[in-house]
Amino acid sequence: MVLTVYIDLLSQPCRALYITLKLHNVTFKTQYISIEKGEHRTSEFTQNISRFNKLPVIDDDGFKLTESVGILRYLAKTKTIRDSYYPQDAKKQARVDEFLEWHHTNLRSLCSPYFIRKWILPKFFGKVTPADKLRPYFNQMVACLDNMERLWLNSDGLYIIGDQLTAADIWAACEIEQLTMTGYDPKMGRPKLAAFLERVRNETNPYFDEAHKEVYEYAELDKKNSKL
Ligand SMILES: N[C@@H](CCC(=O)N[C@@H](CS)C(=O)NCC(=O)O)C(=O)O
């Protein structure tokens, strides 16, 4: 049975997984689930797909798995994933994992709270967070992006780890790119981050743009609306 992937491309880990699969020519069937419409919270989803009610989820011939990084590691063992992308050598793999772990407790934990309050809650649920309540979330996102610039992109390498694209770059770029939907430009004042994002996009296109189609459309729309 062909690998089935349950995703919503407005979700960062879903985009990272989608790009990974496309980059490696893995055959898969996409099952789009709308988080906005609550399709991940139906009893059918809970019973048959995932009790965690989160995306992405894969179903590989009846083997269902959640957590994008866990899925990446499973794919690296069961499909043809380039060694440079998720290396099998213990030390090289540990470097990619080092970033992926940092990502979850930093980029994701410190940037998405602002993204959720500034964009998701008003857009989909009509819940507006007052500016003074938003400020601490904004500040923690800015500090985290500064750390990305200062701590991870401070070497002469082209990517987060050396000169070759790894999964770390995709997980990072997908997280950072979505912040543009809030009207904030993460590249501004961060030249290394700007060059990095451009490089990742160029290296992985057309898949990066395919995955980010809705993100770009919303970012453009919000830019226009904020000018009105
Ligand atoms: N750590 C998980 C995160 C999964 C996650 O939080 N997915 C979000 C979308 S980005 C989701 O499904 N949210 C739906 C909800 O919480 O209701 C991963 O990397 O896969």
Side-chain angles (χ1 to χ4, degrees):
M1 232 172 72
V2 68
L3 174 74
T4 304
V5 180
Y6 296 85
I7 48 171
D8 179 334
L9 288 176
L10 274 177
S11 143
Q12 175 272 333
C14 292
R15 289 192 298 277
L17 177 60
Y18 177 88
I19 294 168
T20 299
L21 291 165
K22 286 287 193 176
L23 275 178
H24 294 89
N25 287 320
V26 177
T27 307
F28 67 103
K29 188 173 102 190
T30 310
Q31 200 71 49
Y32 287 102
I33 300 287
S34 166
I35 294 179
E36 182 190 355
K37 291 187 188 144
E39 289 171 1
H40 63 306
R41 291 198 176 273
T42 62
S43 55
E44 199 223 321
F45 188 96
T46 309
Q47 275 161 30
N48 300 331
I49 301 161
S50 169
R51 66 193 183 285
F52 299 115
N53 304 104
K54 301 252 186 223
L55 297 172
V57 184
I58 61 162
D59 180 346
D60 193 18
D61 207 9
F63 178 69
K64 299 195 181 90
L65 190 65
T66 63
E67 288 296 331
S68 60
V69 173
I71 295 171
L72 164 71
R73 291 177 182 139
Y74 171 76
L75 293 175
K77 290 201 173 94
T78 57
K79 316 281 174 208
T80 311
I81 300 294
R82 273 200 310 274
D83 191 66
S84 57
Y85 190 80
Y86 190 72
Q88 289 312 304
D89 172 82
K91 286 186 178 137
K92 289 183 182 162
Q93 186 177 105
R95 281 280 168 243
V96 178
D97 284 340
E98 184 180 33
F99 179 82
L100 292 172
E101 300 292 347
W102 185 87
H103 168 256
H104 256 98
T105 48
N106 287 270
L107 271 186
R108 187 149 184 84
S109 306
L110 301 177
C111 297
S112 68
Y114 177 74
F115 172 68
I116 288 168
R117 283 163 184 82
K118 174 74 183 174
W119 197 81
I120 300 262
L121 294 181
K123 192 92 174 171
F124 296 151
F125 303 103
K127 258 177 87 175
V128 175
T129 306
D132 60 319
K133 296 253 162 37
L134 264 178
R135 179 54 62 181
Y137 296 105
F138 178 79
N139 290 345
Q140 73 177 18
M141 171 186 75
V142 168
C144 182
L145 292 170
D146 288 345
N147 278 340
M148 188 70 205
E149 175 89 2
R150 198 172 56 85
L151 302 175
W152 289 101
L153 299 172
N154 63 350
S155 74
D156 292 333
L158 296 175
Y159 294 104
I160 293 175
I161 301 139
D163 284 335
Q164 280 186 306
L165 182 95
T166 69
D169 303 306
I170 302 301
W171 263 252
C174 290
E175 191 76 51
I176 297 169
E177 199 65 53
Q178 73 184 7
L179 302 175
T180 57
M181 289 195 280
T182 68
Y184 179 75
D185 182 359
K187 296 178 184 170
M188 191 81 94
R190 298 188 187 94
K192 286 176 189 282
L193 183 61
F196 164 75
L197 289 174
E198 208 46 42
R199 202 172 288 129
V200 172
R201 186 180 179 185
N202 290 336
E203 176 82 19
T204 60
N205 259 341
Y207 310 125
F208 196 88
D209 282 359
E210 239 169 70
H212 286 83
K213 186 170 176 288
E214 263 187 290
V215 172
Y216 295 150
E217 282 169 3
Y218 273 123
E220 214 34 59
L221 195 71
D222 289 348
K223 227 190 281 170
K224 273 193 205 132
N225 289 345
S226 65
K227 281 194 194 127
L228 295 177

